[in-house]
Structure formats: C-alpha cells, structure tokens
Amino acid sequence: MDTTHFRAEILKALGQPTRLKIIDFLRDGERCVCEIFPAIGEEQSNTSRHLNLMVSTGILFRRKEGVKIFYALKHMEIMEIVDLATQIMTQEITGRHRLLKAA
Amino acid sequence: MDTTHFRAEILKALGQPTRLKIIDFLRDGERCVCEIFPAIGEEQSNTSRHLNLMVSTGILFRRKEGVKIFYALKHMEIMEIVDLATQIMTQEITGRHRLLKAA
DNA sequence: CGGATATATGATTGAGTGATCATATAATAG
DNA sequence: CTATTATATGATCACTCAATCATATATCCG
C-alpha cells in the first residue's frame, strides 16, 4: 500500500498557521471552540472549519458536552512533530546568523 | 517573535505527496535530480521546482558537481517527523479497524 | 415557548498551488 | 565550436484553500 497521501495529509494539516496556533493552544489539554477562537484571534467560523478539518484528518478528538464542543489533541506524536519543526527552525535561524556574521 | 509562520512553512513543505516521495528517496543519502525524478515517477521540471522549494524552506542541501546538482536532507529531524507521521497514520488505521469490527 | 449562547455550514472571493509544456541556461565531451 | 546532457524557469491552467459574511442548527435557561 502506498501511504504517501495519507502521511502527507497529516503533515499538511499541521502546516498551516491558523491550525498550528490551535495545536499550540491545545497542548495544555481539551478546550471548547469558545475558548479557542478568542485565544488564537480568529473568527469563530474559520476556527470551526479548521477544527473540523483536523478531526477528519484524524489528529483531533471531539467531545460534546451540552452546548459546548471540546477539542483535544489525539496523538502525543503531534506535539513531538511540532517540537521537531521548532528545532529545525532554530537551527536555520542560528545558521543564517552565522552566515550573516561571516559576511 | 511569533514563529508560527516559519514552523508552518516547514511542515507544509513536508505535507505534499511529491515532496514526501522525494524526502523518502533522500533517506539513503545525497542524490542528483537525474536520479530523483525517475525514482519518484515525476517530470524533471516538476521535480526541480519541488527541490527548489525545499531548499528555500531550509530543509534540503544543494551541492553542485559539474553538470549535476545533488540534493540531500539537511536535518535529521525531518526523518523523525516523517516517522512520527507514519506512526499516527498506523494508529489511525488500526483504530478504524477496531471500530469497524465492533460495529 | 422564546431568547440567548455555542457551533456548524452555505456561498463567495481572492490568493495560492501543482502540474505541464516549451524553452533557457550551464557544463562537458568530442 | 557543436552537440549533448543536466537542471532551471516562464507561461499557463485547473484546482484547492483560507477567510469572511450571513445564516442555520442545537442546547439550555427562564
């Protein structure tokens, strides 16, 4: 089986600023939409769409409680991936500093 | 500093089927374009564009040797990220099987 | 029931993306 | 110098995506 598309879909879901902000915010645990969209500074509507997308992709849990709907990270691996991306970013930035100083 | 866009850019670079195929192929080490595009079954032109994008994003090295241009993964973390995505995928697939069996 | 709150969804729009074809550039061999 | 090989790039096109506004749905409270 070729898993390329499935794996790309997961990584693509993480590679978008608004979704990444949501994921950062969900690190501390489950949150409802009404907490998420003010925290990340996006419209309720837009936030809802991104949350739905990430549930479809399989990286978020959804739980209903009364009127509120709570979302949470479904896999610890998601945080690890984001942390590794941060490491790469840091290396790139310091690497460029080194180049700038040398020039 | 808000690093959201930078981190998203890195993850986005990985979240595309053609680029993911390239990254899989580069696990074994440095390869030139003439080796890469037949291996992944894409056009030379298209392959070149994706390689350039990944160099700009800072996840690939480029080295010139005569007429050939070699590309290589620039960070070990890239392989780790892809492996973690594979783990998530596997958990999702087996999880769905379990649900199907229970139904 | 009627109003308020929380979330989702339809429609639209502008921007971005990936692939393709044709062509340009660069390096090397003969 | 010319032909060949390797790679990059311009132009184009269909498609996808993110954001927004307006509205629908659902739950709860009084």
Side-chain angles (χ1 to χ4, degrees):
Chain A
M1 177 181 35
D2 183 24
T3 63
T4 308
H5 283 268
F6 206 128
R7 289 182 297 148
E9 201 184 21
I10 292 170
L11 293 167
K12 187 179 175 183
L14 306 175
Q16 203 281 333
T18 304
R19 290 195 288 272
L20 201 46
K21 279 190 277 180
I22 293 173
I23 289 167
D24 284 341
F25 185 64
L26 291 180
R27 275 176 181 255
D28 299 332
E30 194 182 53
R31 291 282 184 273
C32 68
V33 185
C34 58
E35 294 171 302
I36 299 170
F37 82 85
I40 66 172
E42 292 289 331
E43 287 211 350
Q44 178 271 320
S45 164
N46 192 30
T47 305
S48 174
R49 275 182 220 282
H50 284 295
L51 288 166
N52 274 292
L53 184 146
M54 289 191 278
V55 170
S56 303
T57 310
I59 64 176
L60 289 190
F61 267 128
R62 167 190 274 142
R63 185 177 67 85
K64 192 173 182 175
E65 187 181 314
V67 188
K68 296 187 178 181
I69 301 194
F70 290 86
Y71 289 89
L73 297 181
K74 194 168 171 186
H75 305 273
M76 285 303 117
E77 288 85 355
I78 292 167
M79 285 192 265
E80 300 178 32
I81 287 175
V82 174
D83 288 341
L84 286 166
T86 306
Q87 285 183 38
I88 293 174
M89 180 195 66
T90 306
Q91 290 170 30
E92 282 299 310
I93 290 173
T94 60
R96 284 174 197 178
H97 277 177
R98 212 181 303 127
L99 286 176
L100 286 175
K101 282 182 184 172
Chain B
M1 176 180 35
D2 182 24
T3 63
T4 307
H5 283 269
F6 206 128
R7 291 182 297 148
E9 199 185 25
I10 292 171
L11 292 167
K12 186 178 177 185
L14 305 175
Q16 203 280 335
T18 304
R19 289 194 288 271
L20 200 47
K21 279 190 277 178
I22 291 174
I23 289 166
D24 285 339
F25 185 63
L26 291 180
R27 277 177 180 253
D28 299 332
E30 195 183 52
R31 292 281 184 275
C32 68
V33 185
C34 59
E35 294 171 302
I36 298 172
F37 82 84
I40 66 173
E42 292 289 331
E43 288 211 351
Q44 178 270 321
S45 164
N46 193 28
T47 305
S48 173
R49 275 183 218 282
H50 284 295
L51 288 167
N52 274 291
L53 184 146
M54 291 191 279
V55 170
S56 303
T57 310
I59 65 177
L60 290 191
F61 266 129
R62 167 190 273 144
R63 184 177 68 85
K64 192 172 180 176
E65 187 182 312
V67 188
K68 296 188 179 180
I69 300 194
F70 289 87
Y71 289 89
L73 298 180
K74 193 168 170 186
H75 305 273
M76 284 304 117
E77 289 86 354
I78 292 167
M79 285 193 264
E80 299 177 33
I81 288 175
V82 174
D83 288 341
L84 286 165
T86 307
Q87 285 183 39
I88 293 175
M89 179 193 67
T90 306
Q91 290 170 29
E92 282 299 309
I93 290 173
T94 60
R96 284 172 197 178
H97 278 176
R98 213 182 303 126
L99 287 176
L100 287 175
K101 281 182 183 172

